Amino acid sequence: MSADASNAPLRTRSIGQPLARLDGRAKVTGAARYAWEHELADALYVYPVQAAIARGSVVSVDIEATRAVAGVVAVITHENAAKLQSDENKELWILQSAGIGFRGQFIGAVIAESLEIARHAADLVRVRYDEQLHDADFRSDRDDLYAPEKVNAGYPTDTAKGDAEAALRTAEVVVDQTYTTPMEHNNPMETHTTVAVWDDGHFTLYDSTQGAHSLRKTLAPLFGLDADAIRVIAPHIGGGFGSKGTAHAHDVLACLAAQAVPGRPVKLTLTRQQMFQLVGYRTPTIQRIRLGANRHGRLAAISHDVIEQTSRIKEFAEQTAVPTRIMYAAPNCRTTHRLVKLDVPVPSWMRAPGETPGMFALETAMDELAIACQLDPIELRVRNDAEKDPESGKPWSHRDLVGCLRKGARHFDWDRRNPAPRARLRDGWLVGTGVAAATYPRYRMPGSVAMIRYESDGRYVVRMGAVDIGTGTWTALTQIAADALDCPVGAIALDIGDTHFPNATVEGGSSGISSWGTAIVAAARAFRDKHGANPEVGSEASAASPDNPEEERFAMHSFGAHFAEVAVNAATGEVRVPRMLGVFSVGRIINPRTARSQFIGGMTMGLSMALHERSVMDARFGEVVTHDFAEYHIAAHADVEDIDAIWLDESDPHSNAMGSRGIGEIGIVGVAAAIGNAVWHATGIRVRDLPITPDNLLA
Amino acid sequence: MDALHIAINGVAHDLKGVDARTTLLDLLRDRLHLTGSKKGCDHGQCGACTVLVNGRRINACLSLALTHEGDAIITIEGLAQGDTLHPLQAAFIEHDGFQCGYCTPGQICSAIGMLDEVRRGQPSHVSGDGEHVELDDAEIREGMSGNLCRCGAYVNIVAAIRDVARQAPES
């Protein structure tokens, strides 16, 4: 079958229905098994030993007192741990040398008969260090900023179109401001967990991962194994938001511990505090945005310069200015990314890496430009809407940012807004509204394979090693399979969450449905081609996610608009968000019930980013000091009032057979700007540094 | 001293060799394999471990198992009657009051405890004069704020609790 035929539109019947989560009963009854919870006989418990300095090396480790504790089975350090076969990824290269790259890095582990014993005994390990001067000071005026070869997801580090500097010099209106976002931590509710068994040259891992297959592909070369020698089991994952998208050091530590006690399961879960050091975070950013426009608000130039941090042991370059390249029509556009390497934990993916901090800056600057031009902020965005991709010049597969803005304006009663700031006082609360745009690329990762078999009970078993981190994969893939096989959802038995099933790519970049769903559609079409509408019991077919030549012809991005109403206490500066609305243009919605949850979930995380979240790095110690939920506040019930999400009724035939473009990230993108813009409208105070805390508003 | 008699979901357990350091949460999860109660922070800051002890909600991670001699514990596994879900469990599915599901057992147990507190007239920070506690959305949110949800399902969780509270007969 040709690639084009594989991507032909699906006739949708189950797709589009608000099916309740198929894993719902298991989750509300406590029956769903997360990584820690699989019943395994004779399990041992692992508790890590961590570096207490930010840079230097281990001189000696005294484990005498540890070994003397009854119930301790083994202690591993760099002196006795199994040797890893690849040092390509230094984040994972643990217990291999005496060197220390950041405070909290693993330097050992205790394996014991109970969690209590392991933790107590780990506390008795005495380590002497050779401490070297560390540097964890993130500032824009450093002289050691450098340009990485590329930024995350393979984008160019810098871009330049036209002559932005010249256009800025002659522009009638210029906005030139610096915006900052702090270090932020993903904090999925399930702490990162690996339960490992090493038996006869094979690992079995029960892991909280966004990619069962990608995890084993990362780990296999480290241990000198074929990927097939590692089985990863992950039927339910308690959130991830990017931090479970790549292997982290705890995966390796659990495997090293398992090799120290062959045949016995070892259980490792990080504490919440350890998660602030060991499973990635969003880099802090310092972003200078310059917008040049004529007095009617038509952009002549956009310039976006980003400074962010990475760790000395491994580079991660957040693609913060990337959305700026495609967002608005401006003849002149330049973007840059500069990094500083510090002795800090390794940054990584956090929900919409790049877009989330970048669009806070751009969309706040756009609000400032609207004010400078005395234009409604929606009208400003409409005037600068891009008919084709400003970066590549390609046509959009579909872009309806204007539709999102207009629909949201109607639902949010935007037209009755008085544009004057600090104009509404209600019972001691200053009230304002704000808007911001959202965007996120449509990604599809190649390589996913689905297998379909017809069973004697009249059902089609559909297998692939995909995962459900809470996004609704169990339900959405079942709906896609039902339509692909032209049968009811009850005739589908989906199997996911295990590398025993065919390869599936990582749940990241909002790519799950595009990557996995297309494989299921291809397998279903192959199945019908081979076996017809009335297959014999036991008939099987497999197929991979097909290439899509449309990806070369079109620029594929989703868009959205966020509206927020805030109330700022005139006496205390407390910010409340009584109302938020998101409107999205994301192609076809597979399941309206679970899709709405993803959107409002992203918006809730965006509210949290706007008002609460800040990880504080104490540069004197290289330590994240706000390392629990008391000090790193994430939005709680009391912070959230009325949040709703709606979408445009559309399908993107160029994206894939389902017409979808992915929805997991876009809900968070732009939210902080919408709230910040509403805070300006309420108070007349522009806050350019997140989070927006009361001290900023007591003017 | 390391023996414990405890009833969990109506089943009596006579346990021996309970480590004095073991929390109620770890006892449930690791000794009794009742893994519905979740560990999200182990510090009483997230609420994922919420269970009902003699009818009151507590954070099982903050409570040592041996302090529960003679107590009756209800966990998420004890709420459904056979195939019939507790009304809150059904409402959470209907309103999609979760995504990853990891905070869900704690949210549901906490909601049962919170609704009982309101029924008994216990006021909260947002209860006005405290004389009469009205179960409006603000009261639900305040009462549930010890249960964090990183997927951001709060709007749907409140809708689920509101639904059940309205249907439930006053008792």
Side-chain angles (χ1 to χ4, degrees), chain B residues 114-132:
Chain B
M114 183 272 297
L115 290 173
D116 187 56
E117 289 159 22
V118 170
R119 218 170 280 130
R120 287 186 281 113
Q122 286 185 14
S124 80
H125 165 66
V126 299
S127 305
D129 60 11
E131 290 293 309
H132 174 71

PDB file of all heavy atoms in Angstrom, chain B residues 114-132:
ATOM      1  N   MET B 114     -14.601  14.832  53.663  1.00  0.00           N
ATOM      2  CA  MET B 114     -14.975  16.248  53.619  1.00  0.00           C
ATOM      3  C   MET B 114     -16.495  16.408  53.665  1.00  0.00           C
ATOM      4  O   MET B 114     -17.029  17.243  54.405  1.00  0.00           O
ATOM      5  CB  MET B 114     -14.396  16.869  52.354  1.00  0.00           C
ATOM      6  CG  MET B 114     -14.638  18.350  52.180  1.00  0.00           C
ATOM      7  SD  MET B 114     -16.192  18.743  51.352  1.00  0.00           S
ATOM      8  CE  MET B 114     -15.924  18.004  49.737  1.00  0.00           C
ATOM      9  N   LEU B 115     -17.209  15.577  52.900  1.00  0.00           N
ATOM     10  CA  LEU B 115     -18.672  15.677  52.884  1.00  0.00           C
ATOM     11  C   LEU B 115     -19.240  15.361  54.264  1.00  0.00           C
ATOM     12  O   LEU B 115     -20.213  15.980  54.710  1.00  0.00           O
ATOM     13  CB  LEU B 115     -19.256  14.736  51.821  1.00  0.00           C
ATOM     14  CG  LEU B 115     -18.986  15.142  50.372  1.00  0.00           C
ATOM     15  CD1 LEU B 115     -19.454  14.055  49.406  1.00  0.00           C
ATOM     16  CD2 LEU B 115     -19.660  16.472  50.032  1.00  0.00           C
ATOM     17  N   ASP B 116     -18.612  14.423  54.943  1.00  0.00           N
ATOM     18  CA  ASP B 116     -19.059  14.096  56.293  1.00  0.00           C
ATOM     19  C   ASP B 116     -18.796  15.261  57.258  1.00  0.00           C
ATOM     20  O   ASP B 116     -19.617  15.556  58.127  1.00  0.00           O
ATOM     21  CB  ASP B 116     -18.357  12.819  56.771  1.00  0.00           C
ATOM     22  CG  ASP B 116     -18.908  12.344  58.098  1.00  0.00           C
ATOM     23  OD1 ASP B 116     -20.137  12.129  58.179  1.00  0.00           O
ATOM     24  OD2 ASP B 116     -18.116  12.225  59.050  1.00  0.00           O
ATOM     25  N   GLU B 117     -17.659  15.914  57.094  1.00  0.00           N
ATOM     26  CA  GLU B 117     -17.353  17.075  57.939  1.00  0.00           C
ATOM     27  C   GLU B 117     -18.403  18.169  57.747  1.00  0.00           C
ATOM     28  O   GLU B 117     -18.866  18.793  58.709  1.00  0.00           O
ATOM     29  CB  GLU B 117     -15.955  17.621  57.610  1.00  0.00           C
ATOM     30  CG  GLU B 117     -14.827  16.709  58.067  1.00  0.00           C
ATOM     31  CD  GLU B 117     -13.520  16.979  57.324  1.00  0.00           C
ATOM     32  OE1 GLU B 117     -13.346  18.094  56.783  1.00  0.00           O
ATOM     33  OE2 GLU B 117     -12.674  16.069  57.266  1.00  0.00           O
ATOM     34  N   VAL B 118     -18.763  18.397  56.494  1.00  0.00           N
ATOM     35  CA  VAL B 118     -19.765  19.428  56.214  1.00  0.00           C
ATOM     36  C   VAL B 118     -21.107  19.018  56.809  1.00  0.00           C
ATOM     37  O   VAL B 118     -21.825  19.829  57.402  1.00  0.00           O
ATOM     38  CB  VAL B 118     -19.863  19.670  54.697  1.00  0.00           C
ATOM     39  CG1 VAL B 118     -21.068  20.558  54.368  1.00  0.00           C
ATOM     40  CG2 VAL B 118     -18.578  20.302  54.175  1.00  0.00           C
ATOM     41  N   ARG B 119     -21.432  17.739  56.667  1.00  0.00           N
ATOM     42  CA  ARG B 119     -22.693  17.232  57.215  1.00  0.00           C
ATOM     43  C   ARG B 119     -22.749  17.465  58.733  1.00  0.00           C
ATOM     44  O   ARG B 119     -23.786  17.753  59.294  1.00  0.00           O
ATOM     45  CB  ARG B 119     -22.805  15.729  56.906  1.00  0.00           C
ATOM     46  CG  ARG B 119     -24.190  15.257  56.553  1.00  0.00           C
ATOM     47  CD  ARG B 119     -24.163  13.831  56.031  1.00  0.00           C
ATOM     48  NE  ARG B 119     -23.758  13.762  54.633  1.00  0.00           N
ATOM     49  CZ  ARG B 119     -22.805  12.955  54.141  1.00  0.00           C
ATOM     50  NH1 ARG B 119     -22.159  12.124  54.946  1.00  0.00           N
ATOM     51  NH2 ARG B 119     -22.524  12.978  52.871  1.00  0.00           N
ATOM     52  N   ARG B 120     -21.589  17.340  59.364  1.00  0.00           N
ATOM     53  CA  ARG B 120     -21.549  17.538  60.822  1.00  0.00           C
ATOM     54  C   ARG B 120     -21.378  19.011  61.200  1.00  0.00           C
ATOM     55  O   ARG B 120     -21.196  19.341  62.359  1.00  0.00           O
ATOM     56  CB  ARG B 120     -20.427  16.690  61.423  1.00  0.00           C
ATOM     57  CG  ARG B 120     -20.784  15.204  61.433  1.00  0.00           C
ATOM     58  CD  ARG B 120     -19.774  14.331  62.158  1.00  0.00           C
ATOM     59  NE  ARG B 120     -18.596  14.069  61.328  1.00  0.00           N
ATOM     60  CZ  ARG B 120     -17.376  14.524  61.584  1.00  0.00           C
ATOM     61  NH1 ARG B 120     -17.161  15.277  62.646  1.00  0.00           N
ATOM     62  NH2 ARG B 120     -16.374  14.251  60.782  1.00  0.00           N
ATOM     63  N   GLY B 121     -21.389  19.875  60.182  1.00  0.00           N
ATOM     64  CA  GLY B 121     -21.355  21.307  60.460  1.00  0.00           C
ATOM     65  C   GLY B 121     -19.986  21.873  60.765  1.00  0.00           C
ATOM     66  O   GLY B 121     -19.867  22.957  61.336  1.00  0.00           O
ATOM     67  N   GLN B 122     -18.927  21.155  60.394  1.00  0.00           N
ATOM     68  CA  GLN B 122     -17.581  21.681  60.660  1.00  0.00           C
ATOM     69  C   GLN B 122     -17.251  22.793  59.677  1.00  0.00           C
ATOM     70  O   GLN B 122     -17.198  22.558  58.474  1.00  0.00           O
ATOM     71  CB  GLN B 122     -16.541  20.570  60.536  1.00  0.00           C
ATOM     72  CG  GLN B 122     -16.535  19.598  61.688  1.00  0.00           C
ATOM     73  CD  GLN B 122     -15.404  18.594  61.566  1.00  0.00           C
ATOM     74  OE1 GLN B 122     -14.485  18.763  60.778  1.00  0.00           O
ATOM     75  NE2 GLN B 122     -15.484  17.536  62.350  1.00  0.00           N
ATOM     76  N   PRO B 123     -17.014  24.000  60.154  1.00  0.00           N
ATOM     77  CA  PRO B 123     -16.726  25.109  59.238  1.00  0.00           C
ATOM     78  C   PRO B 123     -15.283  25.090  58.744  1.00  0.00           C
ATOM     79  O   PRO B 123     -14.413  24.471  59.350  1.00  0.00           O
ATOM     80  CB  PRO B 123     -16.963  26.351  60.095  1.00  0.00           C
ATOM     81  CG  PRO B 123     -16.662  25.901  61.489  1.00  0.00           C
ATOM     82  CD  PRO B 123     -16.994  24.421  61.569  1.00  0.00           C
ATOM     83  N   SER B 124     -15.070  25.753  57.617  1.00  0.00           N
ATOM     84  CA  SER B 124     -13.716  25.925  57.096  1.00  0.00           C
ATOM     85  C   SER B 124     -13.428  27.414  56.992  1.00  0.00           C
ATOM     86  O   SER B 124     -14.261  28.260  57.338  1.00  0.00           O
ATOM     87  CB  SER B 124     -13.573  25.273  55.714  1.00  0.00           C
ATOM     88  OG  SER B 124     -14.118  26.133  54.727  1.00  0.00           O
ATOM     89  N   HIS B 125     -12.248  27.719  56.459  1.00  0.00           N
ATOM     90  CA  HIS B 125     -11.818  29.101  56.235  1.00  0.00           C
ATOM     91  C   HIS B 125     -12.820  29.925  55.414  1.00  0.00           C
ATOM     92  O   HIS B 125     -12.918  31.127  55.564  1.00  0.00           O
ATOM     93  CB  HIS B 125     -10.449  29.049  55.526  1.00  0.00           C
ATOM     94  CG  HIS B 125     -10.014  30.320  54.910  1.00  0.00           C
ATOM     95  ND1 HIS B 125      -9.717  31.448  55.643  1.00  0.00           N
ATOM     96  CD2 HIS B 125      -9.840  30.673  53.611  1.00  0.00           C
ATOM     97  CE1 HIS B 125      -9.364  32.426  54.816  1.00  0.00           C
ATOM     98  NE2 HIS B 125      -9.428  31.983  53.593  1.00  0.00           N
ATOM     99  N   VAL B 126     -13.566  29.242  54.536  1.00  0.00           N
ATOM    100  CA  VAL B 126     -14.459  29.996  53.642  1.00  0.00           C
ATOM    101  C   VAL B 126     -15.931  29.877  54.041  1.00  0.00           C
ATOM    102  O   VAL B 126     -16.812  30.219  53.256  1.00  0.00           O
ATOM    103  CB  VAL B 126     -14.290  29.542  52.165  1.00  0.00           C
ATOM    104  CG1 VAL B 126     -12.873  29.795  51.686  1.00  0.00           C
ATOM    105  CG2 VAL B 126     -14.677  28.077  51.991  1.00  0.00           C
ATOM    106  N   SER B 127     -16.203  29.397  55.252  1.00  0.00           N
ATOM    107  CA  SER B 127     -17.591  29.102  55.636  1.00  0.00           C
ATOM    108  C   SER B 127     -18.355  30.311  56.178  1.00  0.00           C
ATOM    109  O   SER B 127     -19.363  30.154  56.847  1.00  0.00           O
ATOM    110  CB  SER B 127     -17.620  27.996  56.686  1.00  0.00           C
ATOM    111  OG  SER B 127     -16.931  26.862  56.237  1.00  0.00           O
ATOM    112  N   GLY B 128     -17.867  31.503  55.912  1.00  0.00           N
ATOM    113  CA  GLY B 128     -18.594  32.678  56.392  1.00  0.00           C
ATOM    114  C   GLY B 128     -18.577  32.735  57.906  1.00  0.00           C
ATOM    115  O   GLY B 128     -17.514  32.604  58.528  1.00  0.00           O
ATOM    116  N   ASP B 129     -19.754  32.880  58.534  1.00  0.00           N
ATOM    117  CA  ASP B 129     -19.788  33.033  59.993  1.00  0.00           C
ATOM    118  C   ASP B 129     -19.566  31.708  60.709  1.00  0.00           C
ATOM    119  O   ASP B 129     -19.418  31.671  61.918  1.00  0.00           O
ATOM    120  CB  ASP B 129     -21.121  33.655  60.420  1.00  0.00           C
ATOM    121  CG  ASP B 129     -22.309  32.799  60.003  1.00  0.00           C
ATOM    122  OD1 ASP B 129     -22.102  31.638  59.580  1.00  0.00           O
ATOM    123  OD2 ASP B 129     -23.444  33.275  60.096  1.00  0.00           O
ATOM    124  N   GLY B 130     -19.553  30.612  59.933  1.00  0.00           N
ATOM    125  CA  GLY B 130     -19.304  29.323  60.557  1.00  0.00           C
ATOM    126  C   GLY B 130     -20.507  28.727  61.253  1.00  0.00           C
ATOM    127  O   GLY B 130     -20.480  27.593  61.711  1.00  0.00           O
ATOM    128  N   GLU B 131     -21.593  29.468  61.311  1.00  0.00           N
ATOM    129  CA  GLU B 131     -22.796  28.944  61.966  1.00  0.00           C
ATOM    130  C   GLU B 131     -23.456  27.891  61.087  1.00  0.00           C
ATOM    131  O   GLU B 131     -23.899  26.862  61.558  1.00  0.00           O
ATOM    132  CB  GLU B 131     -23.791  30.089  62.222  1.00  0.00           C
ATOM    133  CG  GLU B 131     -23.339  31.075  63.290  1.00  0.00           C
ATOM    134  CD  GLU B 131     -23.289  30.440  64.663  1.00  0.00           C
ATOM    135  OE1 GLU B 131     -24.289  29.811  65.063  1.00  0.00           O
ATOM    136  OE2 GLU B 131     -22.240  30.539  65.330  1.00  0.00           O
ATOM    137  N   HIS B 132     -23.506  28.209  59.795  1.00  0.00           N
ATOM    138  CA  HIS B 132     -24.135  27.285  58.872  1.00  0.00           C
ATOM    139  C   HIS B 132     -23.170  27.026  57.722  1.00  0.00           C
ATOM    140  O   HIS B 132     -22.758  27.958  57.041  1.00  0.00           O
ATOM    141  CB  HIS B 132     -25.446  27.892  58.341  1.00  0.00           C
ATOM    142  CG  HIS B 132     -26.068  27.046  57.269  1.00  0.00           C
ATOM    143  ND1 HIS B 132     -26.647  25.833  57.538  1.00  0.00           N
ATOM    144  CD2 HIS B 132     -26.175  27.253  55.936  1.00  0.00           C
ATOM    145  CE1 HIS B 132     -27.090  25.308  56.400  1.00  0.00           C
ATOM    146  NE2 HIS B 132     -26.815  26.147  55.420  1.00  0.00           N
TER     147      HIS B 132
END
